[in-house]
Amino acid sequence: AALALDLARAHAIPTQALRPRDFSSREDFDGALFSGIDAAAPDLIVCAGFMRVLSAAVVAAHSQHMINIHPSLLPRHPGLDTHRRALAAGDVEHGASVHFMIPALDAGPVIAQTHVAIGSNDTPQSLAERLLPAEHQLLVATVALFTRHRLGHADGRVLIDNRPLLAPLQIIDGSLEAALHALQPGCKN
């Protein structure tokens, strides 16, 4: 985390580092955290590796521009320990999902997903290691959609170019662009 802070500071990006244990409650921590976030007025809030449940009030106030990456093919396996749970369930594939955040845990509209096959010798650790590069690629591609003002959500649905997305976008040939091309007028789905 210190490297990320150093990199941000080197590029004049506002930073803050808070420790939850320094606050008397989840609400106090969330209040302090989002006070700093709101002061920076970001266009997008990305929760990646955050590993904390945020209060419903904070999420509701920021849900139009807050996304999360989750290591499972949502709605399967919300919450923690997803790699172990996928193996225990006998899943043949695993993956990651980027979704808009809503007050319910890992339940917001899913924007995009990436898939990896589960091998017979996979362990939670080997599965996590194979998935991580695909997660990074998925998150970067999704953020790129947002920065090009193509991504939004309303009424529990993801919108691409203000049109409802019928199913999560999938990484094709290393990007979301091929999936987006299929959504363009004149293309057949």
Side-chain angles (χ1 to χ4, degrees):
L3 291 176
L5 291 172
D6 292 343
L7 182 62
R9 289 180 190 124
H11 289 87
I13 297 171
T15 63
Q16 70 175 345
L18 304 175
R19 295 184 310 188
R21 67 176 176 240
D22 292 341
F23 296 84
S24 60
S25 69
R26 175 184 312 275
E27 290 76 21
D28 288 346
F29 171 79
D30 288 357
L33 176 65
F34 278 85
S35 176
I37 290 171
D38 292 343
D43 293 329
L44 181 64
I45 301 167
V46 178
C47 295
F50 188 63
M51 303 301 291
R52 285 188 57 82
V53 175
L54 294 166
S55 65
V58 162
V59 173
H62 297 85
S63 67
Q64 287 301 312
H65 62 277
M66 187 160 54
I67 62 173
N68 180 49
I69 185 159
H70 182 74
S72 81
L73 296 172
L74 291 172
R76 288 186 66 78
H77 312 302
L80 299 173
D81 232 0
T82 62
H83 311 305
R84 181 194 58 76
R85 291 168 49 211
L87 292 170
D91 293 353
V92 296
E93 69 175 354
H94 190 45
S97 304
V98 176
H99 63 94
F100 280 105
M101 291 180 68
I102 63 170
L105 180 66
D106 297 327
V110 176
I111 302 162
Q113 295 180 318
T114 189
H115 299 250
V116 296
I118 295 178
S120 59
N121 295 325
D122 264 323
T123 65
Q125 182 177 347
S126 68
L127 192 52
E129 289 170 359
R130 277 192 304 107
L131 180 58
L132 191 59
E135 284 183 84
H136 292 164
Q137 183 180 49
L138 179 69
L139 185 58
V140 168
T142 304
V143 169
L145 279 178
F146 192 91
T147 63
R148 292 194 307 266
H149 307 287
R150 298 189 70 189
L151 185 60
H153 74 99
D155 302 321
R157 308 268 319 256
V158 173
L159 302 175
I160 299 290
D161 301 329
N162 292 315
R163 296 184 2 218
L165 186 64
L166 301 178
L169 295 170
Q170 306 295 319
I171 292 282
I172 299 173
D173 297 329
S175 77
L176 293 175
E177 292 306 316
L180 286 170
H181 177 72
L183 299 174
Q184 299 305 314
C187 294
K188 294 183 181 183
N189 290 343

